[in-house]
Amino acid sequence: MGLTRRLEQLAAEARVPVFAIAGSGARDAVQDLRLRSEVRIVDTPKAASILVIAGPIADVHAAALARVHDALPHPRTTVLWAPEGALASLPGAAAVVVADSDPVAVVVAVYRDLVLGRRPSEPALLPDVDPAEWRGVGPYGQGGSGMTGGAPYGRPMAELGPDPDGLRLDVVPVAVGPFFPRFPSGLVLDIRFSGDLVLDAAIGEGAVGPPVEPPVEPPRTGLRPFLRALTEPVPIAELELVRAREHLRWLADALVAHGLTALGARALRLAQRVQPGDGGAVRRLARLIGWTQVTRWSTRGVGTVSADDLAGLGAGPVARAAGLAEDVRLEDPAYRALGFEPVLRDRGDAAARWAVRLAEAADSLDLAARAGDARTTPIGRVESPRGRLEPGSAASARLLALVPQLLRETEWGDAVATVVSLDIDLDEAAHAGQLASATVVA
């Protein structure tokens, strides 16, 4: 066997480098791929060989999806973990469609065929045209005559803007998203950077809209019981177990965002297996996280939002982290009979939001254990893991409106930590507008 062939064999036996994109309703499924030993989920398409698209993607993000596809180096291919009609978001890709609930075996087989030359690499979806029309023009390829090229092919120069330190630095506009791994899938932020400083930010197109077509009914598992609770009595034990699992899933992503990948996997495994009465397991994990100092060095004083800005917003853990006792469960006599009290902190920063969710996850499991057969009283609104959920309005959409002011004049690392700490769920926001007429299937 030649050296090249041997290297191909070694590559084929390695963990498959995958860049995974979560479409509508598929966030949990993509998140669970991180626990599979056969694949290695990477943070950039440039490090992947397989692009996994789970669930349908909104048409407004089709061009961004094609750019992600073309960023994968050769050899590459796409695995579509969704109904075949969802491929409309990626026209021209020779995708492998996975009908089964588990795509990993298909991903491994396709990757081996790809590396061993038994499957052709996918061609680019976008035309091979240099986006900078000035490149190569002029005697030195700098865009024309003169140092900066001149008209009409001059190289665009970065604008200058004031810096908080009193300097005038280059200001570079960048669109971040819609598939940036640290943000909710579908979120686009139009940011003006000065170095690594976010001067200002705005929500880009398509962040929250109607559910994509084909419609995802029902939405992902973590939303279903809360949607049902809007119109019918639901066991409190069921709601609180799902609430704890949702907080732990958020925690798993937050830990990865802060470089604590092993702890993130531990939190994700706990989210999958936790049961009523397991509050002690969450508290042990919380103590372990405390030893890492992530809630001190990386999140203390980051993304602070005042109680005045949150009052009446129904922002769930974000509001309670700022000292507001806003919780729809306080309006339910069944919860009051169980002695429910909301978890409160008073700093309003990212560290306080971490603390509230960790404490709520443990308390929810304790509450689920003693709830017995108690059921909620339908009052037309419910406290979801992210806040007040009612027909036409979800906490995630209301929190999204706060993002631009929270990111203004923050360093990029703190900006990412801020967005992560808000736990914005665009699936919840998109479905909220249809809740009045939606039929929720258990």
Side-chain angles (χ1 to χ4, degrees), residues 145-205:
S145 62
M147 190 166 64
T148 61
Y153 299 107
R155 181 183 305 211
M157 299 291 288
E159 59 181 297
L160 295 179
D163 180 86
D165 295 328
L167 305 175
R168 287 183 61 81
L169 303 176
D170 289 348
V171 176
V172 181
V174 178
V176 180
F179 306 121
F180 178 54
R182 300 296 165 251
F183 288 178
S185 184
L187 175 60
V188 179
L189 292 180
D190 294 322
I191 298 176
R192 292 197 313 140
F193 282 100
S194 176
D196 68 343
L197 187 76
V198 176
L199 291 182
D200 51 55
I203 306 300
E205 181 184 6

Side-chain angles (χ1 to χ4, degrees), residues 119-309:
R119 179 182 180 84
S121 178
E122 288 182 353
L125 301 181
L126 298 174
D128 186 14
V129 176
D130 195 324
E133 60 180 2
W134 50 263
R135 204 186 317 272
V137 176
Y140 304 105
Q142 86 281 26
S145 62
M147 190 166 64
T148 61
Y153 299 107
R155 181 183 305 211
M157 299 291 288
E159 59 181 297
L160 295 179
D163 180 86
D165 295 328
L167 305 175
R168 287 183 61 81
L169 303 176
D170 289 348
V171 176
V172 181
V174 178
V176 180
F179 306 121
F180 178 54
R182 300 296 165 251
F183 288 178
S185 184
L187 175 60
V188 179
L189 292 180
D190 294 322
I191 298 176
R192 292 197 313 140
F193 282 100
S194 176
D196 68 343
L197 187 76
V198 176
L199 291 182
D200 51 55
I203 306 300
E205 181 184 6
V208 178
V212 297
E213 298 293 338
V216 178
E217 292 292 350
R220 63 183 183 79
T221 306
L223 296 178
R224 296 175 197 168
F226 297 98
L227 297 179
R228 285 171 34 222
L230 289 170
T231 57
E232 65 182 77
V234 174
I236 287 176
E238 178 185 356
L239 286 179
E240 294 309 308
L241 178 59
V242 174
R243 188 186 314 278
R245 287 176 170 169
E246 286 289 285
H247 284 338
L248 289 169
R249 283 188 173 276
W250 164 83
L251 177 65
D253 281 344
L255 288 166
V256 171
H258 286 269
L260 300 171
T261 306
L263 274 178
R266 180 168 175 170
L268 188 53
R269 284 191 292 268
L270 186 59
Q272 291 179 337
R273 68 171 187 262
V274 76
Q275 294 296 326
D278 287 345
V282 177
R283 293 183 181 96
R284 287 192 293 273
L285 178 60
R287 287 194 294 270
L288 187 58
I289 292 170
W291 295 338
T292 69
Q293 300 296 310
V294 67
T295 54
R296 291 182 180 270
W297 297 338
S298 301
T299 55
R300 183 69 62 88
V302 170
T304 301
V305 56
S306 70
D308 290 341
D309 289 337

